[in-house]
Amino acid sequence: MEIDKAVRESEDGRLKIKYNNAIYVIQRALSLYSIEEVAFSFNGGKDSTVLFHLLRAGYFLHNGHSNGDLPDAEFTFPIRTIYFETSSVFPEINSFTYETAASYGVQLDILREDFKSGLEALLKSKPIRAIFLGVRIGDPTAVGQEQFSPSSPGWPPFMRVNPILDWSYRDVWAFLLACKVQYCGLYDQGYTSIGSINDTVPNALLSINDSPIGEKRFKPAYMLSDGRSERAGRARKISTAATCNGQKCLLPHQSNALTASIVAVGDEILSGIVEDKLGPLLCKKLHSLGWVVSQVATVQNELDSVAEEVIRWKSKSDLVFIYGGVGPLHSDVTSGGVAKAFGVRLAPDEEYEEYLSHLFGDKCTGERNKMAQLPEGITELLQHEKLPVPLIKCHNVIVLTATNVDELDQQWDALVDLRSTNLLASTGPFYSKHLTTSLSDLEVAQPLSKISFEFPDIYTGCYRKSRAGPLVITLEGKDQETVEAAIESLSKKLSSGVKQVSV
């Protein structure tokens, strides 16, 4: 069997471990179920292609064959193979799937219904009890799964078998390249995670900067340095709501702003021992991109407190930034709090551990490395050449490791550079006008209320720099003409003592 021979001759020790573990899972499943009771769900993607060749090797070895005692040409693939064909699939995926089936003598069960309906019909007609799936940690469907996991409630009953659940993006490409097997050609065009034709584009992180004008070229998928950015080519939905004067307003017709929440974790801040300088600076940086910061909160170094704050704001904000409480100490509970907020567990992340080991050496390896325990199945590593260690992103929550202003500047610059992934999309700058007046708060209250009603897209604010100083009124919005009209209207409503200042 060429697959088994190629891996065993490889000098990649990690690949050999991953391969042996996957083969064990496959052989275990083939011991529990007859060949008629198992199936393989093939979709033509890289993970599915890896699993296909692992199944070939696993079945080969399960039947007692050793290296070289049966030519590959005489080996047939007996496991029932399911392919769900849809109108939105890439033509290249279709072609690769059928070519692979023809090359290896695979009989495809082609289903053209939706996944659930097709599966229900298949399981009713066939005695299938277990299905091999190419699911990996980090996939949206991987949360809570083990290598053997019963199907979810509401689905037809079968055992999900996940031989490559613990494989990383790096492991997938190490296997495909070491074994020299064919994979879908889209991966050589910069695609790193392939969904439908409606939601998938080449990964911008693989763009070749010196491409000729009018011609966009990309490096192949296996050259992506940070495997957790593999889904950067998948379309992201941008929130369509923002907070305007305490009320929700639609985008982009009105404020066209994105919202962020900021959570600081630290007993030292709450006790007054340390002054939080990161929160105000982060507010300024977000504001410069046209984002609205809806809240800044500080919580204790306590897991439940972190989880509750993340739960409170993750569904109300486009992004939640959290910092503090990150490290190897018992009080560093931020990662655990984020995991609890999303209902997942902490699990070792091999790619992150590699970064930490490179930075700290042997002190950050194995089970002793608490910092490499990240929320399972939802973690994406935001790697950038300016950062010694990637930032952690869990859905719309970004964990910053900055402990001072200089580190925050560095991490922010990296996030802005990664804007091609739609992470920090700019919605345009704010335009601001200030008025100073000697009038009292009571005297300006009614005119300001009228301004808020007349101009719902305008943000209003008032403050005094000193107790006896003048009242400063701020009007701010995305449309300059609207801001100018609002300031003119307010000036007319305030009878005296008004001075206009441009900002």
Side-chain angles (χ1 to χ4, degrees):
M1 166 57 66
E2 85 285 7
I3 298 299
D4 187 71
K5 184 173 184 291
V7 173
R8 300 202 181 284
E9 290 180 353
S10 169
E11 296 181 357
D12 189 336
R14 174 170 162 172
L15 175 61
K16 291 179 180 179
I17 293 173
K18 295 291 185 178
Y19 171 79
N20 289 334
N21 290 343
I23 293 296
Y24 173 80
V25 173
I26 291 169
Q27 292 180 318
R28 177 65 176 157
L30 294 176
S31 297
L32 293 171
Y33 306 98
S34 68
I35 198 66
E36 293 78 20
E37 293 176 325
V38 297
F40 163 48
S41 180
F42 186 52
N43 63 16
K46 63 184 184 305
D47 302 339
S48 193
T49 301
V50 166
L51 182 53
F52 169 67
H53 290 289
L54 286 171
L55 287 171
R56 292 178 60 236
Y59 181 79
F60 182 90
L61 297 169
H62 178 70
N63 283 275
H65 298 296
S66 59
N67 285 338
D69 66 352
L70 181 64
D72 290 339
E74 299 178 19
F75 174 67
T76 58
F77 187 72
I79 298 176
R80 181 179 298 278
T81 303
I82 309 165
Y83 178 53
F84 289 85
E85 184 179 290
T86 67
S87 59
S88 61
V89 72
F90 278 88
E92 292 87 347
I93 287 287
N94 256 342
S95 299
F96 172 73
T97 300
Y98 290 121
E99 289 170 4
T100 299
S103 298
Y104 293 95
V106 177
Q107 296 297 316
L108 292 177
D109 280 331
I110 302 172
L111 304 178
R112 294 183 172 86
E113 303 173 78
D114 67 271
F115 189 86
K116 186 176 181 181
S117 299
L119 202 57
E120 287 175 341
L122 180 67
L123 267 60
K124 283 182 180 179
S125 62
K126 307 295 181 183
I128 296 173
R129 297 176 57 199
I131 300 178
F132 291 102
L133 302 170
V135 173
R136 290 191 293 113
I137 288 295
D139 294 343
T141 59
V143 177
Q145 286 205 52
E146 304 289 346
Q147 290 175 322
F148 287 84
S149 290
S151 55
S152 301
W155 283 71
F158 66 94
M159 182 63 70
R160 294 176 289 187
V161 185
N162 303 309
I164 63 171
L165 187 64
D166 63 340
W167 284 43
S168 67
Y169 183 86
R170 172 228 182 258
D171 298 327
V172 166
W173 282 108
F175 177 88
L176 292 173
L177 297 177
C179 296
K180 299 179 181 179
V181 295
Q182 292 293 319
Y183 51 83
C184 179
L186 289 174
Y187 293 110
D188 286 333
Q189 300 173 30
Y191 290 83
T192 53
S193 176
I194 301 175
S196 75
I197 57 176
N198 302 316
D199 67 4
T200 310
V201 295
N203 194 321
L205 298 175
L206 292 174
S207 176
I208 299 176
N209 294 329
D210 60 354
S211 298
I213 297 176
E215 179 184 343
K216 197 71 172 177
R217 294 189 297 123
F218 297 84
K219 302 173 187 175
Y222 55 79
M223 294 189 69
L224 184 68
S225 59
D226 177 14
R228 292 311 176 97
S229 297
E230 66 175 294
R231 297 182 67 84
R234 295 292 192 98
R236 286 180 170 87
K237 295 181 180 179
I238 298 179
S239 173
T240 58
T243 302
C244 299
N245 291 326
Q247 298 180 347
K248 287 289 183 179
C249 50
L250 297 178
L251 298 176
H253 308 294
Q254 294 182 333
S255 70
N256 194 30
L258 298 174
T259 61
S261 297
I262 300 172
V263 180
V265 181
D267 293 339
E268 300 87 350
I269 299 174
L270 292 172
S271 65
I273 297 174
V274 174
E275 178 186 356
D276 180 20
K277 296 182 179 180
L278 301 190
L281 179 57
L282 194 53
C283 287
K284 290 180 182 179
K285 292 179 179 296
L286 286 162
H287 188 269
S288 70
L289 291 181
W291 283 60
V292 175
V293 177
S294 57
Q295 70 97 34
V296 179
T298 303
V299 299
Q300 296 175 304
N301 290 88
E302 199 271 322
L303 190 143
D304 287 337
S305 296
V306 174
E308 289 170 6
E309 202 65 27
V310 173
I311 290 171
R312 182 176 294 115
W313 293 105
K314 67 185 177 67
S315 60
K316 299 178 182 179
S317 306
D318 293 285
L319 283 178
V320 176
F321 293 87
I322 187 168
Y323 58 88
V326 179
L329 303 177
H330 73 282
S331 58
D332 293 323
V333 296
T334 295
S335 293
V338 172
K340 186 170 183 177
F342 285 101
V344 301
R345 67 182 183 180
L346 288 177
D349 188 293
E350 291 181 351
E351 289 190 42
Y352 197 60
E353 186 171 343
E354 284 188 4
Y355 286 107
L356 293 175
S357 297
H358 179 73
L359 188 64
F360 298 113
D362 294 337
K363 294 180 180 180
C364 283
T365 57
E367 296 180 355
R368 296 173 296 169
N369 185 13
K370 176 185 174 182
M371 293 174 65
Q373 302 282 323
L374 302 180
E376 182 183 42
I378 62 171
T379 295
E380 178 183 350
L381 298 184
L382 304 178
Q383 191 272 343
H384 191 277
E385 59 184 6
K386 296 180 180 179
L387 302 176
V389 177
L391 298 178
I392 300 163
K393 179 174 178 290
C394 300
H395 294 313
N396 66 330
V397 176
I398 296 179
V399 180
L400 300 171
T401 57
T403 59
N404 55 63
V405 168
D406 290 338
E407 289 177 352
L408 180 59
D409 284 338
Q410 182 185 50
Q411 293 177 17
W412 177 262
D413 289 344
L415 288 172
V416 171
D417 281 351
L418 292 171
R419 196 184 300 170
S420 59
T421 65
N422 288 331
L423 183 63
L424 278 176
S426 175
T427 60
F430 284 104
Y431 297 96
S432 299
K433 288 286 185 177
H434 287 191
L435 284 178
T436 61
T437 177
S438 58
L439 298 174
S440 68
D441 292 8
L442 288 175
E443 290 173 305
V444 302
Q446 187 175 11
L448 275 180
S449 295
K450 291 181 179 179
I451 290 295
S452 296
F453 181 78
E454 293 174 13
F455 301 91
D457 297 343
I458 296 297
Y459 299 86
T460 63
C462 300
Y463 63 92
R464 296 181 190 273
K465 293 183 178 180
S466 64
R467 182 177 181 181
L471 181 67
V472 182
I473 302 172
T474 301
L475 300 184
E476 190 173 68
K478 290 301 187 73
D479 182 74
Q480 186 172 6
E481 291 184 1
T482 303
V483 174
E484 296 283 359
I487 205 77
E488 182 178 352
S489 177
L490 180 60
S491 297
K492 293 178 180 178
K493 288 179 171 60
L494 299 177
S495 57
S496 63
V498 174
K499 181 180 179 181
Q500 187 177 143
V501 181
S502 297
V503 177

